[in-house]
Amino acid sequence: MSDPKPPQTTPQTTPMQHALAQAEAARARGEVPVGAVITDAKGLVIAANGNRIIEHADPTAHAEMLVIREATKVLKNERLVDCNLYVTLEPCPMCAGAISLARIKRLYYGAADEKAGGAEHGVRLFSHPSCHHRPEIYGGIDETACATILREFFSAKR
Amino acid sequence: MSDPKPPQTTPQTTPMQHALAQAEAARARGEVPVGAVITDAKGLVIAANGNRIIEHADPTAHAEMLVIREATKVLKNERLVDCNLYVTLEPCPMCAGAISLARIKRLYYGAADEKAGGAEHGVRLFSHPSCHHRPEIYGGIDETACATILREFFSAKR
């Protein structure tokens, strides 16, 4: 008799892969394909969303803003002190400001945004002396996949 | 017989007075007293709100963000191209970013915010070459009233 089968393992999904799936879903809705997730102190995903600017006719409906608002609802707390945010594209100044206000612990992003980014490009908000909370920042996570989905989206638009 | 009475005149309220009333309402809710309104191309107020950070447990629930989202819903348009925003306090970087994304035409603010402002202090978002849309900016509107309500609020907290 053979040994009993090992317990079925669930394929592991990293938070950035989860954010990429949200970017894919955004693309399917005709939105600029950017996705984001927030994980809690245990590393569990507590909020996931993609851009909904067109859907909501709302220029502030960036993936990061939506997950920050979702996560504060989940935790019933306006401060996400032990939470990490994963986003497929470097946040713009608005989102960088929101990340700072929300006291996000670590920011992981995929593709850099040299034109419209506000974290490590443009105003470099977190490096400015007026910034009251600076997350740890890790760029270039799954960079190729995160950049490719954006490049393909804009190529198809032209 | 005397002449008929002239038509009853309605007391005029300026948009900034309207924003100040929203700041007062925010104070009554225990929020940092900041209020904002958005006027449309005809100068009519189409959105008015105050901070709701505590109420919504949401660090992004600044008065400016709320009225931008309200105005886009009213106009069913993500771009507020012919709209003006009046806010009792200089916007922070998050709100300045949202104002730029929403293509607000003119920004009128009351009190300057030397510590946390992002329009004419701090990162001075609109002056940065990476900023894609810069509104016309008029600071110091009803400055004394706008600053007093904030000063009184923080004095009472101490």
Side-chain angles (χ1 to χ4, degrees), chain B residues 27 149-158:
Chain B
R27 172 162 67 177
I149 185 174
L150 281 160
R151 194 171 50 245
E152 286 176 357
F153 177 81
F154 287 112
S155 300
K157 286 267 175 192
R158 275 179 210 122

Side-chain angles (χ1 to χ4, degrees), chain A residues 53-54 57-60 62 65 68-69 72 76-78 92-94 97-98 101-102 115-116 122-123 125 128 130 132, chain B residues 53-54 57-60 62 65 68-69 72 76-78 92-94 97-98 101-102 115-116 122-123 125 128 130 132:
Chain A
I53 297 159
I54 297 165
D58 175 0
T60 75
H62 286 193
M65 301 298 288
I68 286 172
R69 275 161 40 206
T72 57
K76 295 180 176 57
N77 193 325
E78 73 174 78
C92 76
M94 172 184 72
L101 291 167
K115 280 190 186 169
V123 294
L125 182 71
H128 199 276
S130 66
H132 300 305
Chain B
I53 297 159
I54 297 165
D58 175 1
T60 74
H62 286 193
M65 300 298 288
I68 287 172
R69 273 160 42 207
T72 57
K76 295 181 177 59
N77 193 328
E78 71 173 79
C92 76
M94 172 185 72
L101 290 168
K115 279 190 186 170
V123 295
L125 183 71
H128 199 277
S130 66
H132 300 305

Side-chain angles (χ1 to χ4, degrees), chain A residues 2 8 10 14 20 25 31-32 36 39 47 50 55-56 62 80 84 95-96 111-112 116 121 123 140 142 144 153:
Chain A
S2 64
Q8 194 80 26
T10 315
T14 67
L20 267 163
E31 303 274 356
V32 174
T39 57
E55 181 185 344
H56 293 179
H62 286 193
L80 303 173
N84 300 334
C95 293
H121 293 89
V123 294
D142 290 345
T144 305
F153 177 81

Side-chain angles (χ1 to χ4, degrees), chain A residues 88-149:
Chain A
T88 58
L89 180 66
E90 180 186 348
C92 76
M94 172 184 72
C95 293
I99 287 164
S100 184
L101 291 167
R103 307 290 195 272
I104 293 280
K105 190 170 188 179
R106 298 187 192 94
L107 164 64
Y108 298 87
Y109 71 83
D113 189 347
E114 292 179 17
K115 280 190 186 169
E120 299 193 305
H121 293 89
V123 294
R124 296 173 197 268
L125 182 71
F126 303 121
S127 308
H128 199 276
S130 66
C131 183
H132 300 305
H133 171 79
R134 182 187 197 277
E136 297 168 35
I137 306 175
Y138 305 93
I141 313 294
D142 290 345
E143 188 170 12
T144 305
C146 292
T148 300
I149 186 174

